[in-house]
Amino acid sequence: MANSFTSRRHFVTTSMTALAGLAVVGSSAWAKPVAKADVIRLGMIGTGARGAGLATLIQKMPGIELVACCDNIPEHLQKGMSLAKKGAKAYTDYRKLLDDKSIDAVIIATPLYLHYPMAVAALQAGKHVYLEKSMTYDIPQAIDLVKKVRESNLIFQVGYQYRYYGLYHRVKEVIDQNWLGKITHFECQYNRNSNWRFPVSDPKLERAINWRMHREYCGGPLSELCAHEIDVVNFMLNAHPTKVVGLGGINYWKDGRDTFDNIRTVYDYPNGVKASVTSVLSNAYNGYSIRILGDKATVEILRDKAFIYAESTNNAKGTVDGVTGATLAVTTQGKGVELKFGEPGEEKLEPTTYALQDFFSCIKTKKQPISNVETGRDGSISIHMGNAAADTETVQFWKPEYAA
């Protein structure tokens, strides 16, 4: 076992693998001129923190023109317009933006409860859609949106950017090559020590800006934070959960919110694989992490790095707490080895950049995005099942009609 893992460790440390099927383009390639006929005219619906972040990345991409922004919060709209093409149009009603026939595609970066109606309206208007996660507010919307996208013949991508990030493809490669052995568990957490609120300039805008605090707008930490990790588990296993249990509560931030300030769920996947998914808003230790547990090794994924730890099967025996023959070393892992990914010298970009590049590429090539309406549906349903399990304290089961 030791010799076998040493060879794996050497391979991990020295090999660098490109992402198959992804156009990973560095900023130097963005300087190439783009013919006017090939320019994609883009509208941004929702220019708050996430929308403005997307607009900032798009500024660096040739062949993409942000020609319209929509938001009903004045300072958000002003920020979006400052990042848009000169002469761009400003809207407070997204339906008027969609009426502009010169717009090819839209990015929807609004609160979760608006995702479905806006996405449906965009498809009806003939626009390609990049919809931020999570895909829909409830399960019926997720099922219906799949049908509408299939009927539209348009590109529809969901904003799970880690499906496009080389780090996660490297981990999946390690899994597929059986480095971890038999995988039994995923341990996922997305913790913060924060009330998760944003400052409000006008009290009338409190709910509009701090919509994450209210169930009528979203699913709380599970839909707004842990959604990425649930999608990662689905991606790594090429599956969706079969059932879930969960507990949640509002036990720390007594400030009028009605979304949980802590939630713990356990998802059951095919072959008995369990995935625990946790979010705590009163402690940020190890904030974001995913641990994948196999009987040969463990992978720990952090923000922009991952480490592999070999399992030791030859622990010395002795007397521990009066028990003869007990294992002397409680910790079975040695020092972690960092997983390298990407091409030598390749510029490491923000994961969302890769996702946006693929969206625009899919529009031109008519290929199906990696993060599409079907994978988005599975993520949304998984989230809703987890929240329902915590609300009712009962097991929630995946139903056959979910994946029709």
Side-chain angles (χ1 to χ4, degrees), residues 278-301:
T278 297
S279 185
V280 173
L281 299 184
S282 56
N283 183 288
Y285 180 72
N286 280 348
Y288 174 97
S289 68
I290 300 173
R291 292 172 296 280
I292 307 173
L293 281 56
D295 59 3
K296 293 181 181 179
T298 297
V299 163
E300 181 182 30
I301 305 172

Side-chain angles (χ1 to χ4, degrees), residues 65 90 135 206 209 211 226 245 289 382:
E65 294 182 350
M135 192 174 82
E206 168 61 34
I209 291 176
W211 50 273
C226 298
V245 295
S289 68
S382 302

Side-chain angles (χ1 to χ4, degrees), residues 338-360:
E338 185 175 349
L339 285 174
K340 301 297 183 180
F341 65 98
E343 294 281 10
E346 176 189 310
E347 182 182 5
K348 296 296 190 296
L349 305 176
E350 207 279 336
T352 302
T353 298
Y354 299 122
L356 290 171
Q357 286 176 341
D358 188 60
F359 175 57
F360 300 133

Side-chain angles (χ1 to χ4, degrees), residues 25 71 76 114 125 151 161 165 192 197 257 354 363 395:
V25 182
D71 204 296
H76 288 180
L114 294 171
E151 294 168 354
Q161 63 266 25
Y165 191 29
R192 294 182 174 183
R197 288 185 177 275
R257 73 184 63 204
Y354 299 122
I363 291 173
V395 181

